[in-house]
Amino acid sequence: MTQDSLALQAIRRKLIGKSLTYDEIFAVMDAISHEKLSPILTTYFAASGYSKGFTNEEIYYLTKAMIETGDKLQFKGIVADKHSIGGVPGTRTTLLVIPIVASAGFLIPKSSSRAITTPGGTGDDMEVLAPVTFTKKQIYRIVEKTNACIVWGGSVDIAPADDDLIKVEEPLMFESFDKILVSIMAKKIAFGSNHIVIDLPYGSHMKVQRKVDAEHLKGKFEYLAQRFKVTLQVYLHETTQPAGRGVGPLLETREALKVLEQTPDRPLDLEEKGLTLAGMLLDLCLKDSPKKLQDQVKNEFGDGKKWAQYILSSGHALKKMREIIGAQGGNPAIISDDLHPGQY
Amino acid sequence: MTQDSLALQAIRRKLIGKSLTYDEIFAVMDAISHEKLSPILTTYFAASGYSKGFTNEEIYYLTKAMIETGDKLQFKGIVADKHSIGGVPGTRTTLLVIPIVASAGFLIPKSSSRAITTPGGTGDDMEVLAPVTFTKKQIYRIVEKTNACIVWGGSVDIAPADDDLIKVEEPLMFESFDKILVSIMAKKIAFGSNHIVIDLPYGSHMKVQRKVDAEHLKGKFEYLAQRFKVTLQVYLHETTQPAGRGVGPLLETREALKVLEQTPDRPLDLEEKGLTLAGMLLDLCLKDSPKKLQDQVKNEFGDGKKWAQYILSSGHALKKMREIIGAQGGNPAIISDDLHPGQY
């Protein structure tokens, strides 16, 4: 049987509720990623997961096949990342977590996911400060120079089947949790991350509304992490209000810069949230770090969050952010006051 | 809530396995029939029925909504029809059943379904003899003149949502029995039929392969007939070979004409099959006919099949077929020997 007819057969089998093998799922992802599957057939595949859902095994296969049918990045040693599952705008902690963790000495190459149901992604925020579209080679160079990058995920061919699936999911205005999971994990793993914090807020205005669903999703993230042999922690918390006061790339970026600059009028809730996530990620990275570093951090700061606090308040995070902006071709001297609403 | 958002909500609800109300299904059919639903969203709806299927109530709603969102034909009294659920070409009995039943005095306006998985429909066969595309008004005139017509279903706006659903079902190359059922019944009821014989062969080369599936489908046809208050009989039979020897519109039409002409070299298996179906349909119509006609047929012929046999062997069926060909603008003097392969 050819790959194409195997893909079609797999879609039909999944539609009537059968479980799929890795070969079948690979055939579907391969056909999608090489644009050999029409939008109609891609839609049937997207639809096939709603009723019975995918088994954990199938979710692993899906994620793996998405990674294998696209490009991959590879780094040495500990590679950190954090991902926030949003739902409301104004909850951007990326521009805080990245420079803090990079300043601590860990690699943290960040590919921002495309906005699906929210008006803008982190890539939009970073683009206020610097270009975000780079080749794989350029990304390696930026990360080598600064320990970090904040780039548009679409600029490299990472998990390309995911983008096509998102396209046919958009008109339905209805995401399944399994697809959020697969989409995030495929992009993280393909980007080479092996120490990951998932920020999973739940609440009536969030993407995940009920605690029980959030806990279920948390379990699936942990399952996938174990299958891919990566270290992952899910930060589950109830949220009623977005952090920060700004909505839209320009205001969000200005808020984040104010925190990095430690201005008196900075949004303290956003700072607190950024420190919590950065602290978690630092603790996660520390566990696999040399004993010497572990002891040093413990003695000097106490824990990851206090380490993050020091990096932020000492101005190291701001300095690192300026390095990253510069390496990505932006103006490293930019300050929050330069960003005026209506400028874009 | 607007009709459009009701349609979108209904699709999402069905995808996760909920049952839909008539209002929800009507909203979806209405959106599809007015081309307000994109092919992607139409595909999600088509896909939503595969896993759990539709309840009998939903199948009735679907059929009713398909009828109500399109044009309808109305006739007085008994209106006969037969439909063969094929799977293999060369099983065309329509060109025999229609003139026999029309010659017996019953109305039998026939809209041929579009070919889905078979290479050609009955409309293609009839088109060898006469035009098949007519307006509603022209169809009424042809039926008034001859008791019958054999027209292309697509020429009137009958159950238009069905056509759009078929379009997104084609790439999957996989029909659900529920959709075959709904599609056939919506078109029959919208065309005004109230006495219907469904020819349902099953076998390894047929659309329905297993007896258990055929019996299940038979039960659903009977359920819908009862809901729509029409008289319906399903002729369930195992088939291994197609009837007749010709494949393709020209050869199939020539075979049927040979039977009508009662030539010595006519295909006797096709004749037998046509007589069986015509006989069943005549028996069905007779049950709701005046006592006087019932007695007359009983005394003169015995039963419907023998009546059909008489109509065919006496040349009345051929005469009626020529009337229909003439009324539809074809050459009523055509004979089977006029049809040579390669002519089209």
Side-chain angles (χ1 to χ4, degrees):
Chain A
M1 196 181 295
T2 66
Q3 276 290 95
D4 288 4
S5 58
L6 184 60
L8 188 56
Q9 183 197 281
I11 293 168
R12 290 196 291 237
R13 276 175 29 82
K14 186 67 198 167
L15 269 176
I16 57 167
K18 310 278 183 191
S19 291
L20 301 184
T21 66
Y22 180 68
D23 286 349
E24 287 177 315
I25 288 182
F26 182 89
V28 176
M29 291 303 109
D30 191 56
I32 292 177
S33 66
H34 291 93
E35 285 167 21
K36 286 193 288 190
L37 210 64
S38 68
I40 294 288
L41 287 175
T42 304
T43 303
Y44 275 112
F45 184 73
S48 76
Y50 282 103
S51 172
K52 279 202 178 173
F54 291 100
T55 64
N56 276 352
E57 195 73 14
E58 286 178 303
I59 285 174
Y60 169 64
Y61 292 161
L62 258 175
T63 314
K64 189 171 161 61
M66 263 187 191
I67 296 165
E68 297 302 328
T69 53
D71 211 347
K72 279 175 282 189
L73 266 67
Q74 280 177 315
F75 301 95
K76 270 192 184 160
I78 292 176
V79 183
D81 203 354
K82 78 102 204 166
H83 187 94
S84 291
I85 296 172
V88 289
T91 54
R92 313 279 178 215
T93 50
T94 299
L95 301 189
L96 305 178
V97 175
I98 302 294
I100 290 172
V101 174
S103 177
F106 298 108
L107 296 189
I108 183 161
K110 171 81 183 158
S111 86
S112 68
S113 61
R114 290 167 60 203
I116 304 177
T117 55
T118 48
T122 306
D124 301 323
D125 289 2
M126 183 63 184
E127 206 163 19
V128 171
L129 305 171
V132 292
T133 307
F134 297 101
T135 65
K136 204 170 145 179
K137 211 174 157 183
Q138 290 170 318
I139 291 171
Y140 279 133
R141 210 175 301 145
I142 296 164
V143 175
E144 201 185 348
K145 215 167 159 180
T146 69
N147 281 355
C149 70
I150 305 171
V151 300
W152 186 253
S155 50
V156 260
D157 200 28
I158 295 290
D162 185 48
D163 296 333
D164 289 309
L165 278 167
I166 287 172
K167 260 180 236 161
V168 301
E169 282 159 30
E170 274 170 340
L172 199 59
M173 297 189 281
F174 182 56
E175 276 182 298
S176 80
F177 295 144
D178 280 353
K179 276 172 198 154
I180 294 172
L181 169 76
V182 168
S183 175
I184 292 169
M185 286 301 277
K187 300 216 159 163
K188 299 291 151 206
I189 307 286
F191 228 69
S193 310
N194 49 37
H195 286 70
I196 305 162
V197 165
I198 301 290
D199 173 26
L200 177 49
Y202 63 91
S204 54
H205 299 288
M206 307 304 290
K207 201 173 269 190
V208 182
Q209 294 178 9
R210 299 185 310 161
K211 189 178 185 187
V212 59
D213 291 331
E215 277 168 349
H216 190 68
L217 185 53
K218 176 175 183 283
K220 291 196 168 187
F221 267 108
E222 288 162 353
Y223 167 80
L224 273 191
Q226 176 233 316
R227 292 299 301 262
F228 283 107
K229 297 181 178 59
V230 299
T231 305
L232 178 141
Q233 187 177 338
V234 178
Y235 174 44
L236 202 78
H237 54 105
E238 192 171 5
T239 301
T240 48
Q241 289 274 336
R245 295 156 302 219
V247 170
L250 188 120
L251 290 179
E252 283 169 19
T253 304
R254 189 168 67 167
E255 303 266 276
L257 278 187
K258 277 181 194 287
V259 175
L260 289 171
E261 292 162 6
Q262 295 283 287
T263 63
D265 66 335
R266 67 192 187 273
L268 294 174
D269 52 350
L270 183 65
E271 175 172 305
E272 173 58 27
K273 206 169 163 235
L275 287 174
T276 300
L277 289 169
M280 271 183 191
L281 194 46
L282 288 176
D283 282 333
L284 213 59
C285 295
L286 269 178
K287 271 187 207 157
D288 291 325
S289 296
K291 182 81 172 52
K292 201 183 143 193
L293 181 63
Q294 288 179 13
D295 291 343
Q296 193 185 331
V297 170
K298 204 177 172 187
N299 295 336
E300 246 177 277
F301 310 105
D303 62 14
K305 188 167 177 185
K306 284 178 190 135
W307 190 15
Q309 175 75 63
Y310 164 76
I311 293 169
L312 180 65
S313 60
S314 64
H316 285 107
L318 178 62
K319 187 169 163 266
K320 177 55 76 177
M321 187 65 196
R322 288 182 169 159
E323 273 177 37
I324 301 167
I325 292 170
Q328 291 193 196
N331 170 20
I334 194 163
I335 56 168
S336 58
D337 276 351
D338 294 339
L339 300 176
H340 301 293
Q343 185 179 346
Y344 286 81
Chain B
M1 199 181 293
T2 66
Q3 276 291 95
D4 288 4
S5 58
L6 184 61
L8 187 56
Q9 182 197 280
I11 293 168
R12 292 197 289 237
R13 276 175 30 80
K14 187 67 198 167
L15 269 177
I16 56 168
K18 309 280 184 190
S19 291
L20 301 184
T21 65
Y22 180 68
D23 286 349
E24 287 177 314
I25 289 182
F26 182 88
V28 176
M29 292 303 110
D30 191 55
I32 293 177
S33 66
H34 290 93
E35 286 165 22
K36 285 192 287 189
L37 210 64
S38 69
I40 295 289
L41 287 175
T42 304
T43 304
Y44 275 112
F45 183 74
S48 75
Y50 282 102
S51 173
K52 279 205 180 172
F54 291 99
T55 64
N56 276 352
E57 194 74 13
E58 285 178 305
I59 286 175
Y60 169 64
Y61 292 161
L62 258 176
T63 314
K64 188 171 162 61
M66 264 188 191
I67 296 166
E68 297 301 329
T69 52
D71 211 348
K72 281 175 280 187
L73 265 67
Q74 281 177 315
F75 300 96
K76 270 193 185 162
I78 293 175
V79 183
D81 202 353
K82 79 101 203 166
H83 187 93
S84 292
I85 296 172
V88 289
T91 53
R92 312 278 180 216
T93 50
T94 300
L95 300 189
L96 305 178
V97 175
I98 302 293
I100 291 171
V101 174
S103 177
F106 298 108
L107 296 190
I108 185 162
K110 172 82 182 157
S111 85
S112 69
S113 61
R114 289 166 62 202
I116 303 177
T117 54
T118 47
T122 307
D124 301 323
D125 289 1
M126 183 62 184
E127 206 163 21
V128 172
L129 305 171
V132 293
T133 306
F134 297 100
T135 64
K136 204 170 146 181
K137 210 173 159 185
Q138 289 170 318
I139 291 172
Y140 278 134
R141 210 175 299 143
I142 296 164
V143 176
E144 199 184 348
K145 214 167 160 181
T146 69
N147 281 355
C149 69
I150 304 171
V151 299
W152 186 253
S155 50
V156 260
D157 199 30
I158 295 290
D162 185 49
D163 296 333
D164 289 309
L165 278 167
I166 287 171
K167 259 180 237 160
V168 301
E169 282 159 30
E170 274 170 340
L172 199 60
M173 297 189 280
F174 183 56
E175 276 182 298
S176 79
F177 294 144
D178 280 355
K179 276 174 198 155
I180 294 172
L181 168 76
V182 168
S183 176
I184 292 170
M185 286 300 277
K187 300 215 160 167
K188 299 291 151 207
I189 307 285
F191 229 68
S193 310
N194 49 38
H195 286 70
I196 305 163
V197 165
I198 301 290
D199 173 26
L200 176 50
Y202 63 91
S204 54
H205 299 287
M206 307 303 290
K207 199 173 271 191
V208 182
Q209 294 178 11
R210 300 185 310 162
K211 190 178 183 186
V212 59
D213 291 331
E215 277 168 348
H216 190 68
L217 186 52
K218 176 176 183 283
K220 290 195 169 188
F221 268 109
E222 288 162 353
Y223 167 80
L224 273 190
Q226 175 233 316
R227 292 298 301 261
F228 283 107
K229 297 181 178 61
V230 299
T231 306
L232 177 142
Q233 188 178 339
V234 178
Y235 174 44
L236 202 79
H237 56 105
E238 193 172 6
T239 300
T240 47
Q241 289 273 336
R245 294 155 303 218
V247 170
L250 189 121
L251 290 177
E252 284 170 20
T253 305
R254 188 168 69 168
E255 303 266 276
L257 278 187
K258 278 180 193 290
V259 174
L260 289 171
E261 290 162 8
Q262 295 283 287
T263 63
D265 66 336
R266 69 192 184 274
L268 294 175
D269 53 350
L270 183 65
E271 175 172 305
E272 174 58 25
K273 206 169 163 237
L275 288 173
T276 300
L277 289 168
M280 272 183 191
L281 194 46
L282 288 177
D283 282 333
L284 213 61
C285 295
L286 269 177
K287 271 187 205 156
D288 290 325
S289 296
K291 183 79 170 56
K292 201 182 143 192
L293 181 62
Q294 288 179 12
D295 291 344
Q296 194 185 332
V297 171
K298 203 177 173 189
N299 294 336
E300 246 176 277
F301 310 104
D303 62 16
K305 187 167 178 186
K306 285 179 188 135
W307 190 15
Q309 175 73 66
Y310 164 76
I311 293 168
L312 180 64
S313 60
S314 64
H316 285 107
L318 178 62
K319 187 169 164 267
K320 176 56 74 178
M321 188 63 195
R322 289 181 168 159
E323 272 177 39
I324 300 167
I325 293 170
Q328 291 193 195
N331 169 19
I334 196 164
I335 58 169
S336 57
D337 277 350
D338 294 338
L339 300 175
H340 302 293
Q343 185 180 342
Y344 285 81

